[in-house]
Amino acid sequence: MKEGQRLTTMINDLLDLEKIESGKMEWHFQMVSSAEIIQQAATSTASLLDGKPISLQLDVPAGISPVYGDPDKLKQVVINLISNAVKFTHQGTITIRARQRDQEIVFNVLDEGIGIAPQDQELVFEKFQQVGDSLIGKPQGTGLGLAISKEIIEHHQGRIWLESEPGKGSCFSFSVPIYTDQDEKAETTDVPLIEISET
Ligand code: ADP
């Protein structure tokens, strides 16, 4: 990334974080197709793979339940996880997977990259934390992507976590509640109710 571009990305990331933390971020919650989140994130990151010995594989069962969330924000999380997977993988396969577990969809982004040491695994979700080999040479990102992703997922009442083995790869996962009839009611109650009084 060029320095100017890195600065712009960092400023935008900081503004995003500030908006979420201060409760000023606008959220558009609705029924969202779990498969579309993944497909669209894969499409918009496809160019990152150009010329690299990395392939992207999607593993999403047909008919998987939709989730209740903000489509753009959820896509932003998957895009961030794929970009990281590409950044920290020299060669191999990146797999994006979705599965239903009870009342949630669990999304995974698996890579065969450099991995993250056990002592660094909690740190990566904190602001400005760049760990391991990424400290060697020029910084490749802003260190804010995972902090923003965590805020987004927690706003969806979900969880985000990772499993990783140095030298083998990483698996970043997050969960989002599936869409239910209750959510539909929550959406429609945004419309102010008109009280009808009998005369
Ligand atoms: P950025 O990628 O902009 O540095 P992030 O918040 O997205 O910031 O990631 C923080 C740090 O976590 C990265 O700098 C890197 O050290 C580590 N990291 C994130 N994803 C991966 C991954 N898939 N494999 C190895 N390290 C990773």
Side-chain angles (χ1 to χ4, degrees), residues 22-194:
S22 64
K24 289 192 189 118
M25 179 61 93
E26 276 191 34
W27 300 89
H28 302 283
F29 272 70
Q30 55 196 266
M31 178 172 92
V32 196
S33 155
S34 304
E36 265 174 40
I37 295 170
I38 290 184
Q39 273 149 10
Q40 292 178 4
T43 305
S44 47
T45 48
S47 65
L48 299 177
L49 302 176
D50 284 351
K52 292 192 176 175
I54 300 176
S55 59
L56 196 64
Q57 194 178 303
L58 309 189
D59 175 3
V60 184
I64 190 166
S65 296
V67 291
Y68 185 56
D70 181 315
D72 291 336
K73 306 284 192 305
L74 292 175
K75 232 179 292 162
Q76 187 182 342
V77 173
V78 180
I79 288 173
N80 179 44
L81 296 180
I82 299 173
S83 315
N84 279 347
V86 174
K87 241 190 298 186
F88 300 107
T89 300
H90 301 301
Q91 68 174 81
T93 304
I94 294 168
T95 308
I96 320 171
R97 191 166 63 191
R99 291 286 186 274
Q100 182 163 351
R101 296 263 177 277
D102 301 321
Q103 296 306 299
E104 294 179 326
I105 301 296
V106 176
F107 296 82
N108 311 112
V109 177
L110 298 108
D111 66 53
E112 299 177 326
I114 61 171
I116 301 169
Q119 68 272 19
D120 293 333
Q121 292 181 8
E122 279 300 307
L123 290 178
V124 297
F125 292 105
E126 287 173 23
K127 286 176 222 177
F128 298 116
Q129 288 291 343
Q130 297 179 307
V131 300
D133 287 345
S134 57
L135 291 178
I136 300 167
K138 270 195 165 189
Q140 294 202 22
T142 64
L144 289 169
L146 287 173
I148 293 174
S149 298
K150 186 167 187 269
E151 292 280 354
I152 292 175
I153 295 308
E154 287 177 352
H155 198 83
H156 285 77
Q157 320 300 331
R159 292 164 296 121
I160 186 164
W161 69 96
L162 82 99
E163 289 140 279
S164 183
E165 208 177 315
K168 291 241 169 93
S170 305
C171 175
F172 280 83
S173 306
F174 67 89
S175 62
V176 182
I178 58 169
Y179 181 82
T180 68
D181 289 350
Q182 290 303 109
D183 297 324
E184 203 169 330
K185 286 193 198 113
E187 270 178 73
T188 47
T189 48
D190 288 345
V191 181
L193 293 171
I194 300 164

